[in-house]
Amino acid sequence: MMFNRMIKKIFYKAAIFITCLCCTAIVVAQQQVTVSATVDKNRILIGEQIELKLSVDVPENEVIRFFSIDSLPHFEFLDKQKIDTTNTNHGTRLMQVIRITSFDSGSWMIPSLVLAENIATDSIPIEVSFSPFDPNQAYHDIKDVIAVEEEKKQDWWWYAAGGGLLLLLIILYLIFRKKPKPVTKQADEPVDAYKEAMTGLELLRKQKTDPKTYYSSLIDIFRLYVFKKKGVLSLQKTTDDLVMQLRSINLQKEQFDKLAQALRLGDFVKFAKYQPSEADDNSSWEIIRQTIMTIEQMEVNTASTEKNKE
């Protein structure tokens, strides 16, 4: 009885040891990097494609790396897809598909691809051959002879003569055609500033407009006249600036004061919404007209004086 018990204890201990050893081997195996290389066919015709699949299983906490392949003996690369990465229960799986072909007939070998020390794929045999030849098939040319009809001779000189005649007619037309006489545009006569101002005043007086438009037009007529006649740049100036510049014209004080009053009345109407009476309209119009006439007479007198001096 004692001997049997000892045998059982030894057997149990041995079984436990073997079980632990197997578990340790499985864990170690799972923690190792595994690689594989497969093809979809081992026999191809020259120029036919082969799909080479590469796979790398990397356990957790291991450095992730993949094959670096640029060429294979006797094979050419057609397409190299991107590396596909997926997570697994044991780590990370990397996969890549490479399409290759061969134009060398014979038995070749895709060599073992090394990822790291002691980690490499198996080599893969590939048979590359020509299309099967049937000796019983009759020989024939690649392509039958095609009969070519002789081209008819064309009377090309008729076309050449017609083209030359047409070209001659065009040249004669360009040489002898009548050229139109150049039209001389008469220069526009300069508009007299005084007549322009008087005409504008008469038209303004006949028109029926609102007070703001009336006084704006009235003062613009005067501004344009003094600019053309006296060189007073007043079109973009305020009324006060215009009045200051008009002092150089040397108008009589009474007439100058009336002109300044008429110009300022225009500002009241345009900006202060002042409602002028009909008497105001007529008075302002008359003051502007008289001022223009006075300035014009002064110009005539100045010109006459200078002529007499000569």
Side-chain angles (χ1 to χ4, degrees), residues 41-57:
K41 60 190 74 173
N42 294 91
R43 297 178 62 87
I44 63 169
L45 300 177
I46 287 181
E48 191 176 354
Q49 294 185 13
I50 301 174
E51 196 172 81
L52 173 64
K53 293 183 179 180
L54 304 177
S55 176
V56 177
D57 286 317

Side-chain angles (χ1 to χ4, degrees), residues 237-303:
K237 300 290 184 179
T238 64
T239 300
D240 291 337
D241 291 334
L242 175 59
V243 171
M244 291 296 295
Q245 293 185 75
L246 291 175
R247 293 184 183 278
S248 62
I249 300 178
N250 296 323
L251 294 171
Q252 293 184 1
K253 185 178 184 305
E254 182 180 358
Q255 188 173 14
F256 180 81
D257 292 340
K258 289 181 179 180
L259 175 62
Q261 184 179 0
L263 295 175
R264 290 191 175 97
L265 178 60
D267 284 350
F268 293 154
V269 174
K270 290 189 292 184
F271 304 114
K273 298 182 180 181
Y274 173 75
Q275 294 296 325
S277 63
E278 186 176 354
D280 292 332
D281 297 345
N282 294 333
S283 175
S284 298
W285 184 89
E286 186 63 30
I287 291 170
I288 295 295
R289 189 178 75 90
Q290 288 293 334
T291 304
I292 292 175
M293 292 174 63
T294 300
I295 295 173
E296 187 68 20
Q297 187 61 44
M298 293 169 63
E299 287 289 308
V300 173
N301 294 338
T302 302

Side-chain angles (χ1 to χ4, degrees), residues 38-41 49-53 81 97-100:
T38 59
V39 293
D40 59 342
K41 60 190 74 173
Q49 294 185 13
I50 301 174
E51 196 172 81
L52 173 64
K53 293 183 179 180
Q81 297 182 6
V97 176
I98 303 175
R99 290 186 177 88
I100 60 176

Side-chain angles (χ1 to χ4, degrees), residues 219-250:
I219 295 174
D220 287 344
I221 291 172
F222 178 75
R223 285 177 180 267
L224 185 59
Y225 171 77
V226 295
F227 170 68
K228 290 184 176 181
K229 208 68 176 180
K230 303 296 291 183
V232 176
L233 187 60
S234 62
L235 298 177
Q236 303 297 331
K237 300 290 184 179
T238 64
T239 300
D240 291 337
D241 291 334
L242 175 59
V243 171
M244 291 296 295
Q245 293 185 75
L246 291 175
R247 293 184 183 278
S248 62
I249 300 178
N250 296 323

Side-chain angles (χ1 to χ4, degrees), residues 119-181:
I119 302 176
T121 64
D122 294 332
S123 57
I124 304 174
I126 302 294
E127 185 74 23
V128 182
S129 61
F130 290 98
S131 299
F133 173 70
D134 186 3
N136 297 322
Q137 187 177 2
Y139 293 96
H140 58 81
D141 292 334
I142 297 175
K143 191 174 183 180
D144 294 335
V145 178
I146 301 175
V148 179
E149 296 182 0
E150 185 180 358
E151 295 184 358
K152 296 181 179 180
K153 295 183 179 179
Q154 298 181 353
D155 297 330
W156 58 268
W157 61 272
W158 283 103
Y159 299 103
L165 179 61
L166 179 61
L167 180 61
L168 178 62
L169 292 175
I170 293 174
I171 294 173
L172 293 175
Y173 170 76
L174 294 176
I175 293 174
F176 295 104
R177 68 172 180 172
K178 293 183 179 180
K179 297 182 179 180
K181 296 181 179 180

Side-chain angles (χ1 to χ4, degrees), residues 6 12 21 34 82 92 118 141 143 283 286:
M6 291 178 63
Y12 289 148
L21 184 63
T34 58
K82 294 182 179 180
T92 304
N118 299 326
D141 292 334
K143 191 174 183 180
S283 175
E286 186 63 30

